[in-house]
Amino acid sequence: MPAVALTVNGKPVTGDVDPRTLLVQFLRENLRLTGTHVGCDTSQCGACVVHVDGKAVKACTVFVWQIDGANITTIEGLADPNGPLHPMQEAFREHHGLQCGYCTPGMIMTAVDMVNRKGHDLDDPTIAISAAAPATITS
Amino acid sequence: MYAFTQHRPATVRQAASLLAKQEEAKLLAGGHTLIPTMKLRLAGPKHLVDLSKVEGLSGIEMKGRSLTIGAMTTHVEVQTSPVVRENIPALAELAGKIGDPAVRHRGTIGGSLANNDPNADYPAAALGLGATIITNKRRIPADEFFKGLFETALEPDEIVTKVQFPKVNKAAYVKFPNPASRYALVGVFVSKRSSEIRVVVTGAGANGVFRVTAFEEALKKRFGAKSLEGLTVPADGMASDIHGSAEYRAHLIGVLARRAVAAAG
Amino acid sequence: MNATGIGAAVRRKEDQRFVTGKGHYTDDVNRPGQCHAYFLRSPHAHARIKRIETKAAAAMPGVLAVLTGVELAADKIGNLICGWMITSKDGSQMKMAAHPAIAHGKANYVGDPVAVVVAETLAQAKDAAEKVNVDYELLPALADPAKAQSEGAPQIHEIAARNTIYQWHLGEAKAVEVAFNSAKHVTKLDFINNRLVPNAIEPRAAIGEYDSGSESLTLWNTTQNPHVARLVMSAFVGLAPEHKLRVIAPDVGGGFGSKIFIYPEEVVCLWAARKVGRPVKWVAERSEAFLTDAHGRDHVTHAEMAFDAEGKATALRVKTIANLGAYMSTFSSSVPTYLYGTLLSGQYEIPAIYCEVDAVYTNTVPVDAYRGAGRPEATFVVERLIEVGAREMGIDPADLRKKNFIKNFPHQTPVIMTYDAGDYHASLKKALEVADYGGFGKRKRESARHDKLRGIGFSTYIEACGIAPSQAVGSLGCGVGLWESAEVRVNPTGTVEVLTGCHQHGQGHETTFAQVVSERLGIPLENVSVLHGDTDKVQFGMGTYGSRSGAVGISAIVKALDKIEAKAKKVAAHMLEAAEGDIVFADGKFTVAGTDKSSAWGEVALNAYTAHKFAGQELEPGLKEGAFYDPTNFTFPAGCHICEVEVDPQTGESEIVAWTAVDDFGTVINPMIVEGQVHGGIAQGVGQALLEGAVYDKDGQLVTGSLMDYCMPRAHDLPALKVEMTRTPSPSNPLGIKGCGEAGAIAAPVAVINAITDAIGSEDLAMPATAQAVWQALQKAQDRRKAA
């Protein structure tokens, strides 16, 4: 049982896990952060994307012990729960960028990562294509 | 997923000794092929030897006319590296076409080469640039490294530590992705280094990545897309599945090779 | 219109929880003491189950139970059923084979459950499942529907000779024959409407729980219609009496039809929960979803259209084989019949239509309704024939459509439907303008300059939504009524709860339904909440599918609001000491006509509950009303989509470079949400046309069993869509709503295929039109030209 210590949404967390535990399972089952969802089993759909040390990563394709010590941000930690939405959350809402909401957390985390990487270099086609790559259309 | 024991060695030597000692041990790099396979219970290694803590496996360095990339360097690091972009831009382009951003944040060059998926992109670059794969034991020229579907020259306890790419005059990679998986249905890498010309195909060969010598010969006369006009690759020996027949793949090789040569300028 | 009322592009109320990760889906539910189910599934398409040895598995760590079809039968758990009875042309009833929740005696498709392991953890259940030993006797498999009825084809169910479920027909064969005999031109086509895997990104899931104290069962389930699920599991499967079974459908992550149906897994979770005395959870993995979610479409069709010398369509003849898979899923029988044959008139005045449909069993996962359900298939038939007919006769495809459009309403088609309202010229005209049809020639030449083939394709589609009145669908064999229910509960403080029998899984009902209430009662949107998806909280309702929630569900709310207003006026009359007939209600205020005496909404609501101003004998206290609404007709959304493509002749790749959609959905509650529905529908339709196609090999193995091999559309597969609307309100419901959820998926596939075939100059192109398929079509056309 490897012991892991991570920072999740700014809070230190620890746990002894079965080596098979994927990051997404640790988040959903151990920490009850159920905003990160699982949509496929071939690392394609992007519903489970979270940030590991500031980079978008598919939480279904990383063992939690692999990233021991890392800083994780999930959809729940993107904005202060008592404050305003993160601008990307607000943009999704404002522009009707979601329907059933299931893959939305993954899409938002992916979109934030895209802005982090590209900043002002983003243009419309880049937004369309980059957003497309990780996440399929769900509704 | 089947149960396993994880190991996190700090040195290549420790990793190699774990590989040699433990039965049914597998190396874990980015994990983006291995972990999904394990999840579906299609692979069940008893031991996973994680390379992320091993020192000296990452990094990009240009020395003389040789670009060295550490095995654990991620696709996004290659894609965005100013050193790669300046010296072998085609390699950065290729890295940027692998999977999607989240995959590129984890996937590594060493993992991709050691896995030698017949539809992967990196084998095309390694063979297409005449790279040298450096392991804990030896230096393996790319021409001798790829041995068929998911098969390489690597011995059971051999670990890829670096890949060395010679700087070339011209190079380009054109990829026709499988629309579902985003792997290459066909990908063609071309390069020109003084008199040496390479045309390498991934995705299409029934036996993995390969060189198209007929195209290379034609390009030796004149390095231009026109030199390839009318030339085709026989469908014999091509892979065939629901995504592309052998004929279609053979046809695409011609089209993509011409486009790659044009892009290489 | 008030700022949050009907017609306002209000931002969605539900988004706050979805963008912050606070949505609550079935897999997010965890019950105390819960254990996990894993289904062992047949790896063979067709095999006799000779023996199942479960002892070794039962002895594995953490295992609570290993159950098979034998125990299921012993516990008298009933079969799953198909709820729409279809009668064959010879008068016989459809041949519904037994569909046990766990295969018993024989497995009939790859994925058919043969045993379930219940264990403390999922990993333990999976480990134990590997120790279950099933002795199979392999039988020849049948995967191709076109071969199902051949002599010597493997017989799947004893009840269905030659695997034929029914041979249905509609229309007048004689009249059609006469018209064909005198036709000036006949256009003939053979095609396959490709089989699709729904792939809602939330996989199906279920948690069953048994409370021995109240002897009742609770099911959390990814369902689009919790009450229908409860009814079937109670009345037919026999898990518990209806009042002892609670079905909760929390947030559901997309449905597209695939979550209408009652599946084996939820039945087994409930049954197993009672057996092991613990809550039992099951969540599908994606690869499991590929093998077990009901697939869509899968028609093999021959169709012919007869035209006179002027290009007027005189008759249509269609023969279809519909693949229903290994068992008849919940509504599967209706999809290739009453949701298909009845739409074959399209937007056209076609005097005679005859349609024959043979439904067959194959060793594949059951096929049922998928976004559009029958209507995309019908639209594909009609719109391909019109387009190809136009090309063959040398008439502009827009002109041929105009020539044949229905102009007068109501219009009785030869295939049951009476179209009540529409203006097909208006939507075509607007679409031609938006798409700059006149400039197409120039754009085509421009494309040619950079070695691309440009094509344009139309789809002037029609659909029938609402799927009611109940009396009518009952006469056609439907086992349930297709009305909808609503209850409007006004609280003493004037805030309102709407309980709807519909269920939202992406449609935004919490916003649109609240908009209707906000406008009617003149109260802020945030003072209205919409409750749905729990049979303990909400009155019986029919759920959400067939683009029905606006036309039928909102109509029920409107009817309940009528009653609320009437009652509130009575309360206000007492408060204002005026005659009830003198009370006027507007802008959230009750006024005595011709005076300045008034009471605000909130005051009246409070008075309804304090009951201080009236005697209980003359007026009941409280303000809560329910209504059931049964429409007078289907609704008929229609419109025109125009797709423009560029094909790279060297690779065969098609790029959609422009898309125009002009839809007539009647009254629109929230244009932003409607546009979103159109976008999603088009994306799915483009998926069917270009990318998606389930492939079974001859042994019945699903070759496209994961997202690695089955391609879903991504954002870069679509251009920026131009979406416009025309409006002819539906006369069949109080607000004039027609429905918008399926339109895109219905309209899009044929628009794409019409565009690509236009570009490549060959009609011989199957869906999905992958790069390879287009390249092959180009090669064939080239070979034909060489031979000629």
Side-chain angles (χ1 to χ4, degrees):
Chain A
M1 282 262 181
V4 292
L6 303 166
T7 305
V8 178
N9 298 332
K11 293 190 196 107
V13 296
T14 55
D16 292 315
V17 297
D18 181 309
R20 290 176 279 187
T21 309
L22 299 162
L23 174 58
V24 72
Q25 292 171 319
F26 186 74
L27 293 171
R28 289 181 53 81
E29 292 163 22
N30 295 46
L31 306 182
R32 291 281 184 258
L33 292 170
T34 54
T36 304
H37 297 128
V38 177
C40 77
D41 46 16
T42 47
S43 309
Q44 278 162 305
C45 80
C48 67
V49 167
V50 299
H51 292 182
V52 176
D53 292 329
K55 287 180 187 146
V57 163
K58 290 173 182 177
C60 76
T61 316
V62 186
F63 295 116
V64 67
W65 54 262
Q66 273 183 287
I67 49 160
D68 186 24
N71 197 335
I72 314 294
T73 307
T74 71
I75 189 72
E76 290 93 344
L78 202 53
D80 179 348
N82 303 313
L85 294 174
H86 182 280
M88 192 60 77
Q89 291 171 316
E90 185 54 43
F92 268 70
R93 198 184 76 88
E94 179 60 25
H95 299 284
H96 190 31
L98 65 148
Q99 288 179 335
C100 73
Y102 190 79
C103 70
T104 303
M107 287 228 188
I108 291 176
M109 298 311 285
T110 299
V112 171
D113 175 71
M114 199 192 310
V115 173
N116 288 346
R117 281 184 289 112
K118 298 197 176 252
H120 292 292
D121 292 343
L122 279 172
D123 54 13
D124 281 352
T126 316
I127 291 168
I129 290 164
S130 309
T136 48
I137 293 159
T138 61
S139 47
Chain B
M1 200 180 294
Y2 295 105
F4 62 84
T5 306
Q6 85 292 352
H7 304 271
R8 309 197 78 188
T11 64
V12 174
R13 186 184 291 271
Q14 283 171 9
S17 117
L18 281 162
L19 264 188
K21 208 166 63 194
Q22 305 288 358
E23 241 173 285
E24 293 183 57
K26 273 240 172 225
L27 291 176
L28 179 65
H32 274 53
T33 298
L34 184 56
I35 295 175
T37 315
M38 289 171 68
K39 282 199 287 185
L40 295 167
R41 294 194 167 213
L42 300 172
K46 293 261 184 341
H47 296 269
L48 274 191
V49 181
D50 174 40
L51 295 176
S52 63
K53 293 274 183 204
V54 175
E55 59 200 27
L57 286 188
S58 286
I60 296 168
E61 195 186 12
M62 190 73 200
K63 256 198 189 152
R65 295 196 55 81
S66 174
L67 177 74
T68 303
I69 300 179
M72 285 294 282
T73 309
T74 61
H75 305 325
V76 77
E77 285 162 350
V78 175
Q79 176 192 356
T80 56
S81 156
V83 176
V84 180
R85 289 200 161 269
E86 191 194 322
N87 291 288
I88 314 181
L91 189 58
E93 288 287 321
L94 174 142
K97 285 176 181 156
I98 301 171
D100 57 55
V103 168
R104 294 195 288 272
H105 280 146
R106 297 287 304 168
T108 65
I109 186 169
S112 174
L113 291 173
N115 191 46
N116 192 18
D117 186 308
N119 296 96
D121 300 295
Y122 264 131
L127 192 57
L129 289 165
T132 304
I133 289 98
I134 301 170
T135 76
N136 55 331
K137 299 186 166 183
R138 56 187 165 144
R139 299 168 58 90
I140 311 173
D143 290 299
E144 293 162 24
F145 184 80
F146 303 105
K147 297 285 186 191
L149 306 180
F150 301 99
E151 295 285 333
T152 65
L154 291 171
E155 289 162 13
D157 60 346
E158 193 166 13
I159 299 171
V160 176
T161 56
K162 288 181 185 130
V163 190
Q164 230 169 43
F165 295 94
K167 193 170 170 175
V168 292
N169 312 94
K170 293 175 178 186
Y173 179 60
V174 177
K175 174 177 178 175
F176 193 89
N178 172 327
S181 69
R182 320 307 287 180
Y183 276 83
L185 184 70
V186 178
V188 177
F189 198 105
V190 299
S191 75
K192 182 178 190 309
R193 178 162 62 118
S194 57
S195 64
E196 190 181 348
I197 285 172
R198 286 175 179 252
V199 178
V200 168
V201 175
T202 187
N207 210 26
V209 65
F210 68 96
R211 289 175 71 169
V212 189
T213 41
F215 286 17
E216 292 174 356
E217 289 305 318
L219 290 170
K220 271 182 193 158
K221 287 169 201 143
R222 202 183 144 266
F223 192 85
K226 275 221 166 80
S227 306
L228 297 179
E229 255 168 43
L231 290 184
T232 54
V233 172
D236 243 21
M238 293 299 125
S240 187
D241 56 29
I242 55 164
H243 303 292
S245 66
E247 291 73 27
Y248 183 56
R249 282 184 155 99
H251 164 76
L252 281 182
I253 291 171
V255 176
L256 303 188
R258 288 193 293 276
R259 290 181 183 178
V261 171
Chain C
M1 179 181 109
N2 74 25
T4 58
I6 294 169
V10 177
R11 298 306 183 254
R12 301 198 323 167
K13 285 159 71 83
E14 42 277 83
D15 287 357
Q16 177 69 27
R17 70 174 183 277
F18 291 143
V19 300
T20 54
K22 299 294 179 196
H24 198 56
Y25 302 86
T26 301
D27 189 23
D28 301 338
V29 175
N30 290 294
R31 301 296 300 165
Q34 126 192 325
C35 51
H36 299 266
Y38 177 73
F39 287 84
L40 182 67
R41 300 179 181 281
S42 173
H44 310 296
H46 200 195
R48 205 169 300 290
I49 302 167
K50 289 162 71 181
R51 221 169 70 88
I52 304 183
E53 182 49 68
T54 60
K55 268 205 198 106
M60 291 285 285
V63 173
L64 300 166
V66 184
L67 303 168
T68 69
V70 175
E71 286 84 24
L72 192 83
D75 283 3
K76 299 195 168 40
I77 301 298
N79 291 321
L80 296 165
I81 51 126
C82 175
W84 195 310
M85 186 54 72
I86 298 296
T87 306
S88 284
K89 48 192 161 192
D90 66 2
S92 65
Q93 299 285 286
M94 69 184 192
K95 308 293 185 288
M96 180 161 59
H99 182 190
I102 301 179
H104 189 33
K106 197 154 81 77
N108 290 311
Y109 65 97
V110 172
D112 207 352
V114 295
V116 62
V117 180
V118 181
E120 296 288 348
T121 70
L122 182 59
Q124 287 173 329
K126 284 185 179 185
D127 287 343
E130 293 191 357
K131 305 287 182 198
V132 175
N133 193 357
V134 187
D135 188 4
Y136 291 107
E137 175 195 336
L138 299 195
L139 301 170
L142 167 69
D144 182 354
K147 291 181 182 150
Q149 296 168 300
S150 327
E151 200 173 341
Q155 172 132 356
I156 299 172
H157 298 291
E158 226 163 78
I159 189 175
R162 297 213 170 187
N163 301 305
T164 304
I165 300 167
Y166 53 72
Q167 295 189 292
W168 177 84
H169 69 159
L170 183 65
E172 296 291 333
K174 264 272 157 55
V176 166
E177 200 183 327
V178 170
F180 268 91
N181 288 341
S182 59
K184 175 75 180 163
H185 179 83
V186 174
T187 294
K188 297 182 185 183
L189 286 171
D190 285 282
F191 47 82
I192 287 171
N193 201 290
N194 44 328
R195 184 180 178 115
L196 304 175
V197 185
N199 274 310
I201 291 296
E202 179 202 28
R204 288 190 297 116
I207 304 171
E209 182 170 312
Y210 179 63
D211 179 348
S212 59
S214 61
E215 295 180 315
S216 62
L217 286 163
T218 302
L219 173 72
W220 287 262
N221 193 198
T222 49
T223 174
Q224 300 177 214
N225 30 231
H227 281 95
V228 177
R230 184 178 68 154
L231 174 62
V232 170
M233 286 192 274
S234 171
F236 295 94
V237 184
L239 285 161
E242 207 173 355
H243 65 298
K244 294 282 189 186
L245 174 57
R246 177 184 184 185
V247 178
I248 301 170
D251 284 326
V252 171
F256 315 113
S258 71
K259 290 172 181 168
I260 297 171
F261 322 122
I262 291 86
Y263 286 92
E265 292 84 4
E266 46 258 35
V267 168
V268 170
C269 281
L270 283 170
W271 171 60
R274 180 179 273 181
K275 281 193 103 68
V276 303
R278 304 255 302 265
V280 175
K281 183 174 188 174
W282 168 79
V283 181
E285 292 175 5
R286 180 59 49 194
S287 42
E288 201 174 12
F290 269 97
L291 291 175
T292 64
D293 290 1
H295 290 182
R297 321 279 191 252
D298 210 352
H299 285 193
V300 182
T301 294
H302 173 78
E304 306 180 356
M305 194 175 265
F307 296 92
D308 68 12
E310 276 75 54
K312 292 271 283 179
T314 55
L316 171 63
R317 186 153 59 193
V318 180
K319 169 96 183 131
T320 291
I321 297 170
N323 185 0
L324 297 193
Y327 302 101
M328 294 187 73
S329 174
T330 317
F331 287 110
S332 60
S333 57
S334 64
V335 177
T337 51
Y338 291 109
L339 297 179
Y340 170 66
T342 55
L343 272 303
L344 285 172
S345 198
Q347 297 186 355
Y348 310 112
E349 190 146 1
I350 306 176
I353 297 175
Y354 183 60
C355 167
E356 293 172 280
V357 178
D358 286 6
V360 297
Y361 285 118
T362 58
N363 293 118
T364 62
V365 69
V367 177
D368 206 326
Y370 172 60
R371 202 172 195 172
R375 290 151 291 171
E377 297 91 314
T379 299
F380 195 88
V381 170
V382 177
E383 290 301 297
R384 270 304 277 154
L385 285 169
I386 284 278
E387 191 88 17
V388 175
R391 289 171 193 166
E392 287 173 350
M393 293 184 286
I395 305 174
D396 181 286
D399 290 341
L400 185 65
R401 284 176 167 85
K402 283 183 205 158
K403 201 187 285 274
N404 284 284
F405 276 159
I406 293 161
K407 293 164 190 81
N408 301 309
F409 296 88
H411 173 84
Q412 175 65 54
T413 72
V415 279
I416 301 179
M417 294 299 183
T418 307
Y419 298 170
D420 47 15
D423 186 344
Y424 309 141
H425 280 279
S427 45
L428 176 64
K429 184 168 177 279
K430 193 163 189 176
L432 291 173
E433 286 165 15
V434 174
D436 182 22
Y437 187 49
F440 175 71
K442 195 176 159 210
R443 296 195 292 278
K444 192 174 171 71
R445 287 190 295 277
E446 181 56 36
S447 295
R449 267 194 286 277
H450 52 265
D451 301 321
K452 295 278 173 70
L453 307 169
R454 200 178 189 100
I456 193 162
F458 291 81
S459 172
T460 48
Y461 74 98
I462 192 162
E463 53 171 327
C465 296
I467 321 186
S470 302
Q471 204 175 25
V473 295
S475 73
L476 302 178
C478 183
V480 290
L482 290 171
W483 44 265
E484 195 45 82
S485 71
E487 187 175 296
V488 174
R489 294 201 307 220
V490 180
N491 297 317
T493 55
T495 61
V496 174
E497 285 132 20
V498 178
L499 285 68
T500 172
C502 295
H503 180 273
Q504 78 161 24
H505 30 278
Q507 294 85 349
H509 296 166
E510 287 171 34
T511 304
T512 50
F513 289 12
Q515 283 181 260
V516 171
V517 177
S518 165
E519 165 139 335
R520 180 67 178 268
L521 301 181
I523 59 174
L525 201 64
E526 59 267 27
N527 286 4
V528 186
S529 61
V530 176
L531 276 83
H532 64 98
D534 183 342
T535 59
D536 260 14
K537 288 185 182 161
V538 178
Q539 70 291 340
F540 196 100
M542 294 308 299
T544 287
Y545 39 83
S547 309
R548 69 189 300 275
S549 300
V552 193
I554 288 182
S555 297
I557 295 170
V558 169
K559 213 174 146 192
L561 286 168
D562 290 343
K563 295 182 188 176
I564 288 284
E565 183 178 325
K567 171 87 182 276
K569 276 181 173 167
K570 286 193 172 80
V571 176
H574 283 283
M575 292 167 63
L576 297 166
E577 295 170 330
E580 188 190 328
D582 290 339
I583 304 292
V584 179
F585 179 58
D587 302 324
K589 217 161 70 178
F590 297 85
T591 311
V592 182
T595 75
D596 59 357
K597 278 171 45 177
S598 69
S599 280
W601 164 256
E603 294 173 280
V604 174
L606 184 62
N607 264 278
Y609 285 94
T610 59
H612 292 164
K613 302 280 186 188
F614 50 87
Q617 294 90 317
E618 42 182 345
L619 188 62
E620 275 182 32
L623 197 50
K624 178 192 94 155
E625 299 288 347
F628 287 77
Y629 179 79
D630 204 356
T632 55
N633 192 359
F634 291 81
T635 64
F636 297 96
C640 176
H641 286 219
I642 300 177
C643 167
E644 220 167 295
V645 297
E646 263 192 345
V647 175
D648 178 342
Q650 292 194 53
T651 62
E653 257 179 308
S654 304
E655 185 191 355
I656 296 173
V657 290
W659 196 287
T660 302
V662 178
D663 299 291
D664 179 358
F665 298 133
T667 302
V668 166
I669 307 291
N670 185 324
M672 177 191 80
I673 288 177
V674 167
E675 196 175 324
Q677 289 291 319
V678 173
H679 281 212
I682 291 170
Q684 266 171 311
V686 166
Q688 168 163 27
L690 290 181
L691 308 164
E692 301 183 47
V695 178
Y696 278 93
D697 69 13
K698 63 179 184 4
D699 299 321
Q701 295 291 337
L702 183 63
V703 180
T704 49
S706 84
L707 294 174
M708 294 289 281
D709 289 309
Y710 186 92
C711 184
M712 299 288 289
R714 292 160 160 98
H716 73 162
D717 294 312
L718 295 156
L721 306 169
K722 293 178 211 154
V723 178
E724 301 270 349
M725 278 164 224
T726 56
R727 264 161 224 181
T728 54
S730 166
S732 307
N733 59 65
L735 295 184
I737 297 168
K738 291 185 176 176
C740 65
E742 296 160 291
I746 291 167
V750 70
V752 176
I753 297 303
N754 283 342
I756 300 176
T757 51
D758 178 49
I760 65 176
S762 165
E763 306 299 347
D764 188 9
L765 180 66
M767 293 194 289
T770 59
Q772 172 172 241
V774 172
W775 178 74
Q776 284 167 341
L778 279 164
Q779 297 300 110
K780 262 199 238 172
Q782 208 173 43
D783 292 348
R784 270 197 305 273
R785 274 196 297 277
K786 270 186 205 155

